[in-house]
Structures are given as C-alpha cells and as structure tokens.
Amino acid sequence: MRNFLIRRALYAIPTLIGISIITFAIARLSPGDPIRLFTFGIKDFTQDDYLRLLHAYGLDKPIPLQYVDWLSNAVRLNFGESLIYHREAGTMILERLPNTLQLAVTALMLQLIIGVPLGVVAALRRGSWADGAIRVFGVAGHAVPAFWLGQVLIILFAIGLRWLPSQGMLTVGKDQLDLMDRLKHILLPAFVLALVGIANYSRILRTETLDVLGQDYIRTAHAKGLRERVVVYVHALRNSLIPVVTALGGILATLVGGALVIEQVFSWPGIGQFTFQAAIAKDYPIVQAGVMIASTLLVVSYVLRDLTYAIVDPRIKVA
Amino acid sequence: MRRLVAVLGAAMLVAVSCSSSGTPGGGASPSVAATEKPQQGGRVIEATISDIATMQPVLVNDTASGRITGLIYDNILQVDYKTGEPKPRLASATVSSDSLKYTFEMNAKAVWSDGKPLIADDWLTGLKAVGKSKKTVRKSTFKDVVGFTDYSDGKATSISGVAIDPANNKKWTVTMAKVSCSAIIDLIGYTLPTQVFGKYVTDSSKDEIDTAPENTNPTVVSGPFKFTEWRKGDQVILDKNATYWQGAPNIDQYVYKVVANQTAITNGLKTGEITWGTIQAKDLADVQTVATVKIDKYQNLGYTFIGWNTASPTAVGLADKRVRQALAYGIDMDQVIKAVVFGEATKQVSHHVPVQWAYPTGVQLEQYKYDKAKAQSLLKDAGWTPGPDGILQNAAGKKFNLTISTNSGNTERETLATVAAEQYKQLGINAKAAPEAFQGLVTKLTTGDSTLEATIIGWSLGAEPDPYSIWHSSQIPDPAKKVEGFGFTYFKDPAMDKAIEEARNPSNGDCTVASRKKQYETFNKILNENQPYNFGYANNVLAVSQQSLQSFKPGSFSAIYNVNEWWIKK
C-alpha cells in the first residue's frame, strides 16, 4: 500500500508540471494584459506608470523566466501575489476551497443517497411505472442545463414561495454555526449540482443490478433459501456498486469543476466563481493557483478511487 | 487668499440630474416625513458583484474596494452628491491668488476611532504612502506637488512642497509646481492614521505599505463605520463607529455582500435579502412590480460611445469628418436607447455629461437627430456612392466595410453593436458587429491597434472634468514607438488641445469654473462637429432599495455621502 501511494505521488509530479506549463502558457499568451486592464481609463495614468507596474509585478521579464520564477516559488507552496488583491494566491484559493468542497461533498452525498436507491428500485421493478419514471428522470437530469434549473428553482422556492434563500451560504447576520440556516442555503445549489450524478448513478445501478441479478451465484443464493432482501442488498448490491466506484473516480474534481456554474447561479463563494472572475481580470497567479489546486484534487481523487476498488472488490489488489 | 470652496460654490453650475424617486406604482415614495425621528439599529446589506481587493485607499483601483474605504475613511473634502462640487469634510481649503498654494485645516472635531485627533500629518502619511507604494496607480495624480516625484523616486526623504504649520498641527500648505486646476480634487488624496501607517512611510521604508497587514484589517478609522470582518468572497462586515466625529450612524451594521451577477442582485432585492443595489434597465419592469422596494433613478457619471478610428487603413472613410457626421445622422439613437436600455439613458452629443458642471450649456451643439437622407447626402459628398451590389464604394473602388468591435459578454454593448450595424447597412455600409474579449480589446485600444475600425466601449468620468487623458493629442498611441494612450481615435485638433490645456493649466492662472467652462465649451464644440466618437448615451443608474430604508438619497457623484443619516424603519 505504501509503495502504491509513493508511486502514484511520483506519477503525479510530471502530470502537475505539464498542467502548470499549459495553464501558464494559455494565460500568458491569450490576448490582453492585466495591467492595462485594471488601469484602463485612469485619469493621468502615464506610460511610465504602466512600465513601473509591469516591473513591480514581474511581468516585464520573458515568459519562460516568469514560469521558472513561478515554479520555484510554487514548489514552496507560494503561488505568487495576486495582481488584484495583493495577497498570496494559493492562500486565497484555500480560503474559498472549503466552501466549494462543502457544496461538492453535499452534492456527492445527494447523488449516492438518491441515485443508488433509484437505480436499485428501477432494476427490481423493471418494466413498472416506477422504472419508467426513474428512466425519464435520468434523461431529464442529463438534459436540463444547470444554470436554467438553478434560476427556475430560485424563482419558485426563493422568490415565489419564500421557503429558501436565493443566494449565498449563510443569512447575513446569522451565527456561522447555524446548521439549519446553512442547510437551507445549500439545498438548492447542492441538488442542482448533484442532478447529473443522480441521473448517472440511477442508470448505472439499474443496468448493473439487472446484470448481477442474472448471475449464477444469485440463483444459488436464492436456491439456498436466502431471503430476497439478503440476496439483493448483501450479494447483488456489493457487485453492482463496482462501476459506481469507477464513476466516483474523479467525481469530486468533476463536482468542483461543475460548481463553477452553480456558484455563479447561487452566488456561492467558492473557488469556481473566484477563479472565473480572476480569469476575466487576467489575475494570473490566482488562475494558476486555482488550476493547480483543482488538479491536485483530481489526482488525489483518482488515488482514492483505486484504494476504494480494493475495498469493494477484493479481487483487485493494490500493488 | 480666498475661500476656494466658497468661490466654487458660488460659481459652480448646478447641473440638473434626472434624479427621481418612486414606488413601483410610480407615485411618490412613501418615505416618512422629514420630521420623523430616525430609529436606531438594524443592518444595511448592499450587493456587489466583485469582492473587495483591499481596504488600503492608496491601493484601491476597483469600485468595490472604494466603497469600503469610503465607509471607513473620511476624506478632507467631499464632492457634492448631485453637483460634484468639492465641499469641506475633514478639512476646509483655501487657495492662494496665484493658484499655486493650497492651505488645508482639519476640523477641530475630527477624531480617529481610537480617540486621537486628525492632524495634518495624517494627510501627509497618505501622500507618503502613495510615494512609497510600488503598486498604486495614483502616483501621477500628485506629480505637480513640489518635491513629490523626488520623494517617490527615493531622491528625497521628505516632500518639500508640503509644509505643516509649526504652530498648528491641523494646518498644512501644499505648493504646486504649476497651476493645475484639478489640484483641488487631486489633493483630496488619502488621509490615513499615522499611528497605524506611519511605520510604513519612514525614511528607511521601501514598499512595505503595499503589504501592510492593516490593508486588509484596518484597526483605526475616521469614517462612519469601522471594520469588523472580511469573509473572503462572501461579505465585508462593518459595524458603526460609535465615536464618529459627525455623529454615530443610526444603523448598527453595514454589510457589503458579494453576489455572482446582476440577476442575483435583482433576486436578492425581490426577496429582501439585499437592502439596496443597482439593477440593469432590462430588470426594471420586473422590479417595478415588487411592492416592497423603491427605485431611485439618476444619471450615470459616464457614457457609452462608438469610437471611430480616424486613421484606420481599412475603413478609410472614417478619416473624413463628413462620413463621421453621416454616421451620427444615420443612427436613430433615440430608438437605439429604447431598444438597448429600455429608454433608461440620455443621448449624448458631447464628452461631458449633463451632471458635470463642464457640460456645455452656453454653446449650440448639433444634436444629430436621425436623418437618413442627410446621412446619405454627406456620404455622397465625401465620395461614397453605391456600387453594383448596393454597398458604398469610393472613387478608387474601395468598399465601405466597417467592423464594430465591443467587449463580449456585455449584452447591452453587443446589442448596440448589432443595432448600429443594421442601421449602417441601410446607408449602404457593409457593417458588422464583432464582440471580442474585453482583455484583448483594451490592449488593442491602448496600443493603438490599427485593425480596430469602430469600438463600442464606455467611459466613467469623475468629479474633475479634465479630459486630457482621453482627448489631448499627446495621448494618441503610437505603435511604432510603443507609445500607449487612450486617444485611440487618432483624432487631434490644435484648437482642442489648447482648450484642454487652458482648462487644465491656465496661462493666466484662472481656475474658476466660469473660465474653465468656457474652454470646455470650445472643446466640446470641436468634438461635436468632428465626431471622432458617436457619443452614444449616458445611462440612468437604477438604485433599488427596500422601502424600510430611510434617508437614502443617492446621486450621480455619491450614493453613500449621508450614510450616517440612513435608518431602518421597523
């Protein structure tokens, strides 16, 4: 196990360096200049002022040299000073990361809590109206755009019924530990973020459960006189879950990526919204830090997936 | 010496804004009578789309940060919320007869939140902070203060042009190297607590002011609110400064809440989650149906325009004044305003907007009312006639193609570009709209990229109407010499330069409003006739607030000038 983790960590290094080079190149070579952007229209701003700022932010150096500077600091977990906020970029991303993770983990839980039972029910009641309804829900879950659904839910539950807040993660003035208030705020964004996953898992579980239920060992279990509940939940479900675990690989990173849209719709103060605005402002250090931290998250989630395989399916060995 | 502020007050033209306030039904606001006693307590939540970047005024370069520093730090002068006239706040001001010496004196009652009195040194600390900072964008603002540039360049340890009265530590004089009419606004500067920031502007300091921890956690304030907490990306919480020198605010807390976009602001105003915010014109009809809010309209201090590249190698017609005039007559701007901003704007035919004192009222300007026949006639006079395909061409057979660029994602400007292109097609011009990323567009504009033919963008103006940075010929970019500037139309006129210079640094030292206004009338007349821009329109600002918020009276120059008087009716 230890060797496995060390090897995966070593594999991750060239991956992350590659991502950093690509991100750096895209950010620097795309049209626009952050200094010109935030000084556009400033009265009496001179060319000397522009050159001074360019130098102060180290943007007057050749791009490869800028990358080397950035990398040498990044390995020490210093992603550079934000051009807009004048603070260390990694720290700013990490300040917002818990908010995004909170949203992503809640969405993941909703996906499993709702998606898995729906898939099992659809398989056990194959051909029934319930199966049909779950399959329609599965298609709709994929087809409905998140930004549209989010806005519809806001209009319905926040503006119309006034049951839930329209934005943010906590009512202004409420205690930070007010869990009920936090729950009210996270419900709509987490549900919208989870929707595609719910649809995915219900579909995967339905197919897999049907497949597993037709296997010899399930027939044997029935022949042994085991109760239906034991056959389904102890023997069938465990094997049906293997593809779900596969799909879980990288799901956290996908959710963090998907949170970009959701955070915009629900004004959720996470890294998606923050990095998006930084990209518009060409705040290179924040974009770079955001991408690197999200990429690390992706690598970690793949490792966790491989470890989970071994738990769910003892035939798979971690080596 | 004469009382500068008094002179300005007497001479200043009080511009008429379109400020109005109303309820959804269009009737008078049910605001309580002026005699009703303000209630204490409550919280105001203002919505912002961007998080703040800093709470250090010297480093502020964005609207959001400016809002917070405006609430926690008072300035020595404050511009009137409707007219832009500078008025005493922390200090009074006088100017010498030669307009070279400005004397300020802090109000005897002005105190910091820690109880220490505000003194001249506090203003000097702000100026030194600008000099020491490597990240500020405001150095050039103070370049005419004697000794400032030497201090900023590290050649001097003090600013020779600033003298604090040895007998009165609340009084100081600033000497200018030359007459600069914008000085009274520029010298407002930044008044920082020396007891906090003094250690960053000592003789041995470098640029420590840029990273001072107090920039994100201010501990001593002079404004109506004091800093409590900054939840990054979410909200900034300010509590009332109970010892505010002008009287403690009625409301207990001011929260600056970050939301993702304009839709979120509108939603929050409708649900009551937000106390006040500005909305877009497209949402006005929707918000007008909400009974719990009131709407204040006032004219924006800026305008949206179409800038013509008069030196374009591809759209060569733009070099001809008659063509540019034709492009003004050939677009029905009143219709455009209805289509693009639902009528919530005023057509502009000059650089200065109606709420500025420099707005030309004493000179006849062409209004360029929509006149397709006149536009066609002007194009014909300029040598552009329809070719076999109906598209205009000149004598050399070159077709009149026109690409109108604007920043993508700004739906208002994108719509304007599309509507303008459609209307110009009716004149026989092969026009098309071309949205592109703002980042790239800004670089093209400031570097004078010759591929730009027409650009829709906007200017935000200030209380000081000096248009030098935009319209003086020295600001025209020169790509060959890598000289940048905001004069991207390449239009220049010696008479216009002279008018700008005389209003900025008058040879006779006369900085009165009457004298400067005359120069700006000449300036605007030249622009109006030559049309390097189609000056487009000045939007209305639509400030929406909950009915419970009282004494909220926003204006073009400030929305929060009287925040300590606001109160929440329970």
Side-chain angles (χ1 to χ4, degrees):
Chain A
M1 177 72 80
R2 202 182 67 174
N3 287 344
F4 165 78
L5 288 174
I6 291 170
R7 196 157 51 244
R8 291 305 297 261
L10 290 174
Y11 285 156
I13 292 171
T15 308
L16 291 174
I17 288 178
I19 291 170
S20 74
I21 291 172
I22 293 168
T23 316
F24 201 90
I26 290 174
R28 303 302 162 111
L29 298 177
S30 62
D33 168 338
I35 308 295
R36 289 195 186 101
L37 205 56
F38 70 69
T39 56
F40 185 66
I42 287 184
K43 182 177 167 287
D44 290 336
F45 188 76
T46 64
Q47 181 128 7
D48 285 346
D49 290 329
Y50 170 74
L51 295 173
R52 175 179 53 78
L53 287 173
L54 213 57
H55 180 69
Y57 288 106
L59 298 173
D60 54 347
K61 294 179 184 172
I63 290 177
L65 204 58
Q66 287 182 40
Y67 177 74
V68 171
D69 282 354
W70 176 83
L71 190 63
S72 63
N73 287 319
V75 293
R76 285 172 281 172
L77 298 181
N78 176 357
F79 290 93
E81 185 188 310
S82 158
L83 308 181
I84 306 286
Y85 298 94
H86 312 293
R87 295 176 61 221
E88 200 277 307
T91 308
M92 298 184 74
I93 293 287
L94 291 175
E95 282 167 354
R96 288 155 175 85
L97 186 62
N99 298 345
T100 298
L101 287 178
Q102 191 181 324
L103 184 60
V105 169
T106 309
L108 180 60
M109 285 164 61
L110 284 178
Q111 288 178 346
L112 295 174
I113 291 168
I114 301 173
V116 170
L118 282 182
V120 174
V121 168
L124 294 178
R125 308 214 171 152
R126 185 182 185 184
S128 69
W129 67 267
D131 180 28
I134 290 167
R135 287 164 71 184
V136 168
F137 174 76
V139 174
H142 277 288
V144 175
F147 67 90
W148 178 84
L149 180 66
Q151 200 55 44
V152 167
L153 294 179
I154 287 172
I155 291 169
L156 184 63
F157 290 105
I159 297 172
L161 298 168
R162 301 282 175 109
W163 288 354
L164 296 169
S166 69
Q167 54 194 255
M169 52 189 292
L170 188 71
T171 303
V172 173
K174 286 269 185 184
D175 189 298
Q176 296 246 49
L177 297 175
D178 188 332
L179 292 181
M180 187 50 73
D181 191 67
R182 283 186 174 271
L183 189 64
K184 277 184 179 179
H185 280 80
I186 207 168
L187 208 56
L188 291 183
F191 175 74
V192 177
L193 183 59
L195 193 61
V196 173
I198 293 171
N200 259 339
Y201 292 138
S202 66
R203 186 177 49 79
I204 293 169
L205 251 296
R206 180 183 180 277
T207 309
E208 285 302 314
T209 308
L210 284 174
D211 185 43
V212 170
L213 287 175
Q215 300 282 323
D216 289 346
Y217 74 92
I218 296 293
R219 273 199 294 276
T220 306
H222 278 299
K224 279 165 62 180
L226 292 178
R227 280 183 298 168
E228 178 70 16
R229 187 182 292 180
V230 175
V231 174
V232 172
Y233 293 107
V234 176
H235 295 281
L237 188 58
R238 182 165 175 170
N239 286 312
S240 306
L241 280 175
I242 293 174
V244 173
V245 174
T246 313
L248 275 174
I251 190 69
L252 208 55
T254 308
L255 285 170
V256 168
L260 169 67
V261 175
I262 306 302
E263 287 175 3
Q264 282 291 111
V265 174
F266 291 95
S267 300
W268 192 268
I271 62 169
Q273 189 186 340
F274 186 57
T275 313
F276 174 70
Q277 287 177 347
I280 289 176
K282 293 191 79 74
D283 196 340
Y284 303 137
I286 286 180
V287 174
Q288 199 79 14
V291 171
M292 294 315 295
I293 289 170
S295 304
T296 308
L297 209 60
L298 182 72
V299 170
V300 169
S301 71
Y302 279 140
V303 173
L304 287 177
R305 177 196 60 182
D306 293 348
L307 288 173
T308 319
Y309 270 154
I311 297 165
V312 176
D313 187 350
R315 291 170 298 179
I316 300 169
K317 296 276 183 221
V318 170
Chain B
M1 291 285 214
R2 56 192 158 89
R3 299 292 291 183
L4 172 91
V5 174
V7 170
L8 277 168
M12 183 96 47
L13 179 89
V14 180
V16 179
S17 82
C18 67
S19 179
S20 65
S21 182
T23 56
S29 166
S31 296
V32 291
T35 52
E36 192 169 344
K37 195 178 172 201
Q39 296 171 3
Q40 300 298 303
R43 173 187 298 118
V44 164
I45 304 167
E46 183 189 351
T48 171
I49 289 176
S50 302
D51 194 7
I52 66 165
T54 180
M55 283 175 271
Q56 170 54 262
V58 168
L59 297 176
V60 166
N61 192 30
D62 61 290
T63 309
S65 303
R67 168 67 86 235
I68 295 302
T69 55
L71 287 162
I72 61 176
Y73 293 116
D74 269 4
N75 283 319
I76 53 172
L77 306 179
Q78 177 178 281
V79 297
D80 183 89
Y81 77 109
K82 270 190 173 175
T83 66
E85 172 193 358
K87 290 178 170 175
R89 183 86 171 189
L90 284 173
S92 57
T94 56
V95 61
S96 64
S97 55
D98 60 3
S99 297
L100 287 172
K101 279 190 195 307
Y102 290 78
T103 302
F104 301 92
E105 185 167 356
M106 288 287 185
N107 190 303
K109 291 194 297 180
V111 289
W112 292 104
S113 56
D114 64 357
K116 289 200 165 101
L118 273 124
I119 53 175
D121 237 355
D122 297 325
W123 182 86
L124 183 56
T125 296
L127 186 62
K128 284 181 171 178
V130 176
K132 292 281 183 186
S133 171
K134 284 187 178 162
K135 304 284 172 67
T136 184
V137 298
R138 305 288 172 188
K139 279 191 195 283
S140 293
T141 306
F142 305 98
K143 66 181 185 310
D144 290 339
V145 173
V146 171
F148 175 78
T149 304
D150 281 347
Y151 179 82
S152 183
D153 292 345
K155 295 174 187 166
T157 53
S158 63
I159 302 168
S160 55
V162 180
I164 295 173
D165 187 340
N168 180 357
N169 67 358
K170 282 181 169 282
K171 194 173 179 183
W172 74 103
T173 301
V174 182
T175 306
M176 307 297 289
K178 61 181 178 184
V179 175
S180 171
C181 293
S182 65
I184 190 64
I185 296 285
D186 295 339
L187 291 179
I188 289 176
Y190 311 98
T191 305
L192 299 177
T194 306
Q195 61 271 38
V196 175
F197 292 104
K199 58 181 175 279
Y200 302 114
V201 294
T202 61
D203 292 352
S204 59
S205 302
K206 290 190 164 50
D207 58 349
E208 292 89 343
I209 188 70
D210 290 335
T211 50
E214 293 87 351
N215 293 350
T216 52
N217 183 22
T219 49
V220 176
V221 302
S222 58
F225 290 90
K226 57 186 181 183
F227 173 71
T228 300
E229 187 183 0
W230 178 9
R231 294 181 192 165
K232 312 289 186 319
D234 186 25
Q235 56 189 271
V236 181
I237 302 168
L238 307 176
D239 284 316
K240 78 171 174 184
N241 176 6
T243 59
Y244 181 49
W245 69 283
Q246 298 225 84
N250 296 315
I251 52 175
D252 286 342
Q253 198 172 67
Y254 197 105
V255 177
Y256 203 42
K257 179 87 177 78
V258 183
V259 299
N261 47 43
Q262 280 291 337
T263 306
I265 293 180
T266 305
N267 288 341
L269 287 164
K270 286 158 80 175
T271 61
E273 289 165 276
I274 293 167
T275 313
W276 86 274
T278 55
I279 61 165
Q280 290 181 316
K282 70 178 175 60
D283 295 325
L284 180 60
D286 181 24
V287 172
Q288 278 174 328
T289 64
V290 181
T292 51
V293 301
K294 58 179 188 283
I295 301 162
D296 286 273
K297 290 185 190 179
Y298 50 93
Q299 210 163 54
N300 186 28
L301 192 57
Y303 61 94
T304 300
F305 61 89
I306 313 175
W308 312 117
N309 181 353
T310 64
S312 170
T314 46
V316 291
L318 296 175
D320 192 319
K321 177 172 86 176
R322 290 166 297 183
V323 171
R324 300 193 300 268
Q325 288 174 338
L327 292 170
Y329 286 116
I331 187 167
D332 188 348
M333 195 53 77
D334 292 326
Q335 271 306 115
V336 167
I337 288 171
K338 280 182 190 163
V340 177
V341 287
F342 305 87
E344 294 299 335
T346 306
K347 182 178 172 180
Q348 274 283 118
V349 292
S350 62
H351 168 76
H352 291 110
V353 294
V355 288
Q356 290 181 291
W357 59 257
Y359 182 68
T361 50
V363 63
Q364 192 72 32
L365 297 182
E366 177 56 45
Q367 294 302 305
Y368 292 101
K369 285 193 175 163
Y370 180 58
D371 190 337
K372 190 177 171 187
K374 192 164 185 176
Q376 287 170 325
S377 166
L378 280 162
L379 285 165
K380 192 178 172 189
D381 290 349
W384 293 92
T385 52
D389 54 1
I391 294 173
L392 296 180
Q393 58 182 36
N394 63 10
K398 187 170 177 61
K399 287 187 180 180
F400 199 149
N401 297 321
L402 183 65
T403 301
I404 305 173
S405 304
T406 192
N407 53 309
S408 54
N410 185 323
T411 49
E412 180 187 316
R413 289 180 192 165
E414 284 180 348
T415 310
L416 174 58
T418 306
V419 172
E422 284 306 314
Q423 297 205 6
Y424 290 144
K425 275 182 189 164
Q426 290 174 26
L427 296 176
I429 296 168
N430 185 25
K432 64 173 183 186
E436 63 176 286
F438 186 63
Q439 300 92 322
L441 190 61
V442 164
T443 298
K444 283 185 180 179
L445 287 168
T446 50
T447 56
D449 190 313
S450 62
T451 61
L452 286 178
E453 295 173 348
T455 309
I456 294 176
I457 205 154
W459 286 130
S460 288
L461 306 175
E464 167 49 48
D466 178 14
Y468 186 92
S469 303
I470 300 172
W471 288 113
H472 193 268
S473 61
S474 63
Q475 305 302 305
I476 293 174
D478 184 345
K481 294 180 184 168
K482 293 196 170 179
V483 172
E484 303 183 7
F486 303 140
F488 42 77
T489 65
Y490 286 88
F491 174 76
K492 58 181 174 183
D493 183 301
M496 189 171 84
D497 274 358
K498 190 164 185 298
I500 293 171
E501 289 160 12
E502 280 298 307
R504 181 180 163 99
N505 308 112
S507 48
N508 63 0
D510 187 355
C511 276
T512 59
V513 165
S515 171
R516 295 183 73 196
K517 189 173 166 62
K518 203 173 170 187
Q519 298 295 345
Y520 287 140
E521 283 174 349
T522 303
F523 156 78
N524 278 304
K525 179 80 180 163
I526 293 169
L527 282 181
N528 176 263
E529 187 190 332
N530 286 279
Q531 288 291 300
Y533 286 177
N534 178 318
F535 284 92
Y537 53 80
N539 292 70
N540 288 340
V541 178
L542 306 169
V544 180
S545 58
Q546 300 298 327
Q547 293 273 12
S548 55
L549 181 62
Q550 306 297 319
S551 298
F552 174 67
K553 296 171 192 160
S556 296
F557 291 88
S558 177
I560 57 157
Y561 63 96
N562 68 336
V563 65
N564 59 320
E565 294 168 11
W566 297 3
W567 57 283
I568 306 280
K569 190 175 187 187
K570 291 159 185 135

